[in-house]
């Protein structure tokens, strides 16, 4: 019985360790989020991203350093959309009634640039 | 088919490891874990700062306590204690306690996105099932340890597959991370420059895929050990900011060391390192009074050592580690080895507490903890916390100029001018080449109309020629204002 339980555990563990990295390649929409995929020293890790937040219809910019710890800003610079979206949500809760917009521009090491977000209000649409 | 299935079952369930290898692995892996956990203390202030957090999994935010600076500090210190205690011989209960604690510390916030911490968590989870001390067998079977080895192979496999990306294969990524373009110097950068970044990148890819295979096939363990250790020495020497990841890998590579060699090492070195056994054997039949005096003194003395840790939360940590030790001793008394086991637990507790204190004395973690706490509180506008942090920082490091400067800035902001001036003077004395304290002092004198003092301070600022043009211009404006004839009246 204990041996069977051990073998069940082993195979569940292995299934997770195959499924989590596969999910990165197969279905993770945010390729900058390399967690649980064992992609050490990958080129993606070296992407340089800039997240620009603006509040209200006049799109006033936000001094992120006075709202978020710099470690979160570092994660945003890595283009982690989950973190950037959560930061936007936080700004929504601190500025009720105002629109919060984010432009995330990431530059690959070969110079290719990609932009996410920009026009829509993240207080209404919960995805960058 | 049945034979194949039987061999497959045997691959997992029949995997035997020498007891000496288990002891060495436990000593190396858990010592490193204890050190690594303590080295996270300086990161505690980022948790909960500004009331913001994103967990690794959204559901965790709802079910687990929100991380906070003081909470994470306690967690890191307890993790460090437990890691050191397990290295010294604490039983499986300590591993079962450490694993959820470590899991909480990792998964509760994406602030810790180190992949090696995720790997350590997985190995820790598997170590819950490794018979470190339960079996009397010279080579106990352990499916969990086999799974640890397969897990390492999985890491290499995915790491290798990730490097099939064109930007890795053509050497661009490696050149940017390690080559001369990265600004890093040293023989690793020179070697990459010499053989070409594309060739080096290809070599690393092949090595990682080989290591994935090597960890799975016992016949390949010796070459895998040599290749893998060489790779991680290279990674360490390259100077990446990856904490003590390479050292964790060295600890894992102990599992590939041939049994003959490790048995020889064990016979010479391991026995004295088995602290619990050594100290447990000090008294084979302790009398009731001696037993209680010795164990209580051990708990008291061990815990008292922790009082040197300069954190407000240390009393909570001391209470918890004493509780762990007391539970361990009670469990020890309940076993067939009885009092000897209980005394061994007390000895392990002393070793773990002393280890924790030694790591504190040998590192800058407490200093950095207050420095980072002060810095983040200041930037987030939490002035009461910034004041507490800088007060503690200047007590801990009386010659730390930025600490005195920022503490004085807070006093200045709150209108405690004399304290601010005294603080700026301390900062100037601690670092006469940092212009900021001189400029801040000049501004206080300017507001008070003390022209001569303004000039003394701004002359120093101008002489230091700060790179910040705005500050330099402000100093020059003050100089012009107070050098006019009759200005100081």
């Amino acid at each position: 019985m204990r041996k069977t339980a051990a073998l069940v555990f082993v195979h569940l563990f292995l299934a997770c360790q195959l499924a989590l990295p596969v999910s990165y390649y197969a279905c993770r929409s945010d390729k900058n989020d390399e967690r649980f995929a064992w992609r050490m020293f990958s080129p993606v890790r070296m992407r340089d991203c800039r997240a620009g937040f603006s509040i209200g219809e006049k799109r006033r910019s936000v001094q992120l350093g006075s709202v978020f710890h710099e470690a979160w800003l570092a994660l945003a610079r890595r283009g982690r959309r989950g973190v950037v979206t959560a930061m936007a949500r936080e700004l929504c809760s601190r500025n009720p009634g105002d629109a919060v917009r984010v432009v995330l521009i990431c530059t690959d090491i070969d110079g290719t640039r990609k932009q996410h977000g920009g026009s829509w209000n993240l207080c209404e649409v919960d995805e960058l | 088919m049945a034979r194949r299935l039987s061999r497959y079952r045997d691959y997992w369930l029949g995997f035997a490891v020498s007891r000496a290898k288990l002891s060495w692995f436990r000593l190396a892996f858990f010592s490193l874990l204890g050190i690594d956990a303590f080295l996270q203390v300086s990161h505690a202030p980022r948790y909960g700062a500004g009331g913001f957090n994103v967990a690794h999994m959204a559901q965790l935010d709802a079910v687990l306590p929100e991380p906070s600076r003081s909470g994470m500090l306690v967690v890191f210190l307890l993790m460090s204690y437990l890691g050191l205690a397990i290295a010294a011989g604490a039983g499986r209960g300590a591993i079962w306690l450490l694993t959820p604690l470590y899991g909480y510390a990792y998964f509760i916030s994406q602030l810790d996105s180190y992949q090696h911490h995720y790997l350590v968590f997985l190995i820790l989870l598997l170590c819950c099932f490794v018979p470190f001390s339960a079996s009397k067998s010279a080579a106990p079977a352990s499916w969990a340890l086999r799974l640890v080895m397969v897990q390492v192979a999985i890491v290499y496999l995915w790491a290798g597959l990730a490097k099939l990306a064109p930007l890795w294969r053509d050497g661009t990524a490696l050149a940017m991370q390690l080559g001369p373009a990265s600004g890093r110097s040293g023989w690793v950068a020179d070697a990459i420059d010499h053989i070409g970044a594309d060739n080096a990148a290809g070599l690393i890819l092949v090595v990682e895929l080989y290591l994935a295979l090597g960890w799975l096939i016992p016949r390949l363990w010796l070459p895998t050990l040599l290749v893998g250790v060489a790779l991680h020495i290279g990674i360490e020497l390259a100077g990446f900011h990856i904490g003590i990841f390479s050292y964790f890998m060295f600890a894992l590579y102990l599992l590939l060391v041939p049994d003959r060699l490790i048995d020889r090492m064990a016979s010479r070195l391991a026995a004295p390192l088995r602290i619990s056994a050594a100290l447990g054997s000090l008294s084979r039949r302790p009398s009731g009074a001696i037993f209680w005096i010795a164990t209580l003194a051990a708990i008291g003395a061990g815990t008292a050592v922790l009082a040197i840790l300069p954190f407000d939360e240390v009393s909570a940590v001391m209470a918890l580690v004493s509780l762990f030790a007391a539970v361990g001793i009670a469990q020890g008394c309940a076993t067939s080895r009885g009092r000897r086991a209980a005394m061994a637990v007390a000895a392990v507790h002393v070793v773990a507490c002393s280890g924790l204190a030694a790591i504190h004395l040998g590192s800058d973690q407490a200093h950095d903890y207050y420095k980072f706490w002060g810095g983040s509180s200041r930037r987030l506008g939490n002035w009461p916390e910034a004041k507490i942090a800088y007060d503690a920082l200047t007590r801990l490091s009386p010659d730390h100029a930025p600490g005195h400067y920022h503490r004085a800035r807070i006093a200045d902001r709150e209108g405690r001018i004399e304290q601010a001036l005294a603080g700026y003077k301390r900062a100037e004395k601690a670092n006469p080449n940092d212009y900021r304290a001189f400029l801040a002092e000049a501004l206080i004198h300017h507001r008070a109309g003390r022209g001569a003092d303004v000039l003394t301070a701004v002359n120093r600022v101008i002489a230091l020629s700060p790179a910040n043009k705005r500050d330099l211009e402000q100093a020059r404006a003050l100089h012009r204002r107070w050098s006019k004839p009759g200005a100081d009246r």
Side-chain angles (χ1 to χ4, degrees), chain A residues 2-4 6-7 9-11 13-14 16-22 25 33-43 45-46 64-72 75 78 80 82-83 86-87 90 94 108-110, chain B residues 8-9 12-13 45-46 49-54 56-57 106-107 109-111 113 115 118-119 122 125-126 129 143 147 150-151 154-155 158-159 161-163 165 167-168 172-173 176-177 235 240 242 245 376 379-380:
Chain A
R2 283 182 72 172
K3 287 182 177 177
T4 306
L7 284 174
F9 180 90
V10 163
H11 290 95
F13 189 96
L14 289 176
C16 286
Q17 282 306 309
L18 289 175
L20 281 170
V22 164
Y25 297 96
D33 183 359
E34 299 180 293
R35 290 173 303 141
F36 315 121
W38 306 119
R39 292 173 49 82
M40 281 78 132
F41 306 117
S42 81
R45 171 71 180 78
M46 299 188 68
L64 293 175
S66 62
V67 182
F68 301 105
H69 190 280
E70 61 205 63
W72 292 112
L75 286 175
R78 284 164 65 172
R80 294 261 282 270
V83 170
M87 289 165 78
E90 177 71 15
R94 291 184 186 209
D108 266 337
I109 52 175
D110 63 353
Chain B
Y8 181 71
R9 278 176 64 93
W12 294 107
L13 302 174
R46 58 174 66 172
F52 179 72
N53 183 57
V54 188
H56 278 285
M57 291 146 200
Y106 180 75
F107 288 104
S109 180
Q110 292 193 29
L111 285 172
S113 294
Q115 303 213 47
Y118 172 46
L119 177 62
L122 293 175
L125 181 67
L126 297 176
F129 306 101
W143 59 267
L147 193 48
V150 173
Q151 174 59 49
I154 288 172
V155 171
W158 285 116
L161 292 178
K163 290 182 176 63
L167 284 174
W168 177 271
T172 310
M176 286 195 73
Q177 290 180 74
I235 291 172
F240 283 115
I242 51 170
F245 170 68
S376 62
R379 280 184 286 275
L380 295 171

Side-chain angles (χ1 to χ4, degrees), chain B residues 64 75 79 82 93-107 121 124-125 128:
Chain B
L64 291 175
V75 167
M79 278 162 49
L82 287 167
I95 304 179
W96 281 85
L97 206 55
L98 175 58
T99 304
L101 213 51
Y102 198 100
Y104 172 76
Y106 180 75
F107 288 104
F121 170 73
L124 203 48
L125 181 67
C128 290

Side-chain angles (χ1 to χ4, degrees), chain B residues 31-43:
Chain B
S31 298
L32 286 169
L33 199 154
I35 293 167
D36 191 48
F38 195 89
L39 296 181
Q40 291 184 66
V41 159
S42 60
H43 296 313

Side-chain angles (χ1 to χ4, degrees), chain B residues 161-202:
Chain B
L161 292 178
K163 290 182 176 63
L164 291 171
L167 284 174
W168 177 271
R169 277 186 291 134
D170 68 9
T172 310
L174 185 67
M176 286 195 73
Q177 290 180 74
L178 281 181
S182 70
R184 294 175 204 267
S185 54
W187 70 268
V188 176
D190 292 343
I192 288 169
D193 195 32
H194 185 68
I195 65 170
D198 51 344
N199 292 328

